[in-house]
Amino acid sequence: MSKIAAIKPFGQSIWLDNLSRGLIASGELAKILKEDAIAGVTSNPAIFYKSISSDPLYTGDLAELKKQDLTAEQRYEALVVPDIQATCDLTRSIYDQTKGVDGYVSLEVSPTLANDAQGTIDNAKRLWAEINRPNVMIKVPATPAGVIAFEELITSGINVNVTLMFNLTHVDNILTAYIRGLEARAAAGLPVDHVHAVASVFLSRVDSLIDPQLEAIGTPEALALRGKVALSFVKVSYQHYKKLFHGNRFAALKALGAHPQRLLWASTGTKNKAYSDVMYVEQLIGPETVNTVPDATLALFRDHGQAANTLDTDIDAAIANLVAVRQLGINYNLAGEQLQQEGLKQFDEAFVKLLELTK
């Protein structure tokens, strides 16, 4: 068994944070799905920019699309929707075997709609219909407008991957919006047993922002918190998840066959070379969660990662770490808002570059 596949018995699903036509056509994607028990695939504008700009399998189709009277965004979608459909078909057996828990492929709504609830709803519904696969997830950001859109999409029975979550407010807002969406669906007499969603919590960017602030403070207490804030945030978020979905609030929906909205760990490649290069995988393994991992980090874990149930350990220390950060004068909630805005900007910039390719 590969070291990555060894994570599965602990109840966590590993998804691949990468997608390209070459990855599909070469058979490499099918190979790692099988050998490493990879259970899903995520994409974003930055991933597709890299793929379309470097993968020669797009060249011919793009040249043909440029002869047609289409917008740059329509050409982009004409390129990537078939890739999403092909990947959904590749992972459909996982979806069927897990009864809809895994086997998902994610595609993002246009980043330009991050603050437009109705635009996000319309874009998501169109992509959902166009892809026409039960195991696609439409990605929506956890902005205030995104929360509104997400609730409506769940009520409409659309699978959603909510992205760019950086603080406990984001987590709680999204998890409760999911429940409200399912409650509205149940109240309308509609089935809730086939609707699935994940909530993508971003990790390495948190430490990249907070660590320099801790170093600027410079006390032994501050320095001791470096590299611990993101992990602590995730462990506390997981406790919120368990309380909500294994408590009274979700009980009636669970009786109707509804599924919890699993937390998903994103941005799991270690950016600081002083830390373990697999820390955001190794230290956050636990039941009913997902970790979407880039190729490079998968290779590192395949080489020297260790699978163990680590997510539910040292909870008191995680809480104490977040309290200590606040006592040092670092406003973690505001930091999360800053990180979300920076993440939106990065996706916007990647999308602009992407559309430059398809003009």
Side-chain angles (χ1 to χ4, degrees), residues 65-352:
L65 286 166
K66 286 188 175 182
K67 296 175 184 177
Q68 300 176 32
D69 184 20
L70 300 170
T71 66
E73 188 165 349
Q74 287 171 330
R75 292 190 189 106
Y76 153 69
E77 288 184 5
L79 286 176
V80 303
V81 164
D83 290 349
I84 297 292
Q85 290 172 320
T87 309
C88 283
D89 294 343
L90 197 58
T91 59
R92 179 61 189 266
S93 62
I94 300 169
Y95 175 83
D96 292 338
Q97 289 161 13
T98 61
K99 298 181 180 178
V101 173
D102 276 314
Y104 290 96
V105 184
S106 297
L107 178 65
E108 198 124 6
V109 295
S110 169
T112 62
L113 300 170
N115 299 309
D116 179 353
Q118 191 58 51
T120 296
I121 292 166
D122 294 343
N123 192 256
K125 287 183 174 180
R126 181 179 57 78
L127 288 171
W128 171 262
E130 190 173 341
I131 295 165
N132 193 28
R133 301 292 191 278
N135 56 326
V136 69
M137 277 188 169
I138 306 301
K139 288 178 85 172
V140 170
T143 57
V147 174
I148 295 168
F150 171 56
E151 184 175 336
E152 170 61 28
L153 294 171
I154 292 301
T155 302
S156 299
I158 293 173
N159 302 323
V160 182
N161 176 345
V162 184
T163 187
L164 293 175
M165 300 170 63
F166 293 95
N167 59 32
L168 288 169
T169 300
H170 295 158
V171 171
D172 290 338
N173 285 346
I174 288 300
L175 298 187
T176 53
Y178 175 70
I179 291 177
R180 288 195 307 271
L182 287 180
E183 287 172 339
R185 190 169 173 81
L190 297 169
V192 295
D193 58 343
H194 69 285
V195 183
H196 288 264
V198 294
S200 295
V201 180
F202 282 57
L203 300 172
S204 62
R205 297 184 195 182
V206 171
D207 287 327
S208 294
L209 177 67
I210 300 293
D211 278 2
Q213 297 178 43
L214 294 169
E215 288 166 1
I217 294 168
T219 62
E221 293 79 11
L223 297 176
L225 290 167
R226 289 177 297 179
K228 296 180 180 178
V229 177
L231 296 172
S232 298
F233 159 50
V234 164
K235 286 174 181 269
V236 172
S237 296
Y238 185 58
Q239 298 307 306
H240 283 227
Y241 161 87
K242 289 201 301 180
K243 183 178 180 181
L244 189 59
F245 288 107
H246 293 281
N248 293 332
R249 176 72 191 276
F250 195 66
L253 287 167
K254 188 175 182 180
L256 294 173
H259 303 271
Q261 182 181 14
R262 290 183 296 173
L263 294 178
L264 177 152
W265 319 138
S267 185
T268 52
T270 307
K271 292 181 169 58
N272 190 327
K273 295 187 184 303
Y275 304 150
S276 162
D277 53 16
V278 292
M279 66 184 278
Y280 298 118
V281 182
E282 206 168 57
Q283 296 189 43
L284 298 173
I285 298 171
E288 299 177 14
T289 58
V290 181
N291 196 329
T292 186
V293 187
D295 301 75
T297 305
L298 276 178
L300 292 166
F301 197 93
R302 194 181 289 118
D303 179 68
H304 54 264
Q306 297 296 318
N309 193 343
T310 51
L311 183 57
D312 242 341
T313 61
D314 302 321
I315 303 304
D316 289 344
I319 295 169
N321 287 340
L322 295 186
V323 170
V325 166
R326 188 167 63 246
Q327 289 174 340
L328 287 169
I330 296 173
N331 188 322
Y332 185 78
N333 223 38
L334 281 180
E337 298 306 319
Q338 177 185 333
L339 286 165
Q340 187 180 83
Q341 291 306 310
E342 289 175 357
L344 289 169
K345 184 181 178 186
Q346 288 176 353
F347 280 172
D348 266 337
E349 290 170 350
F351 198 61
V352 168

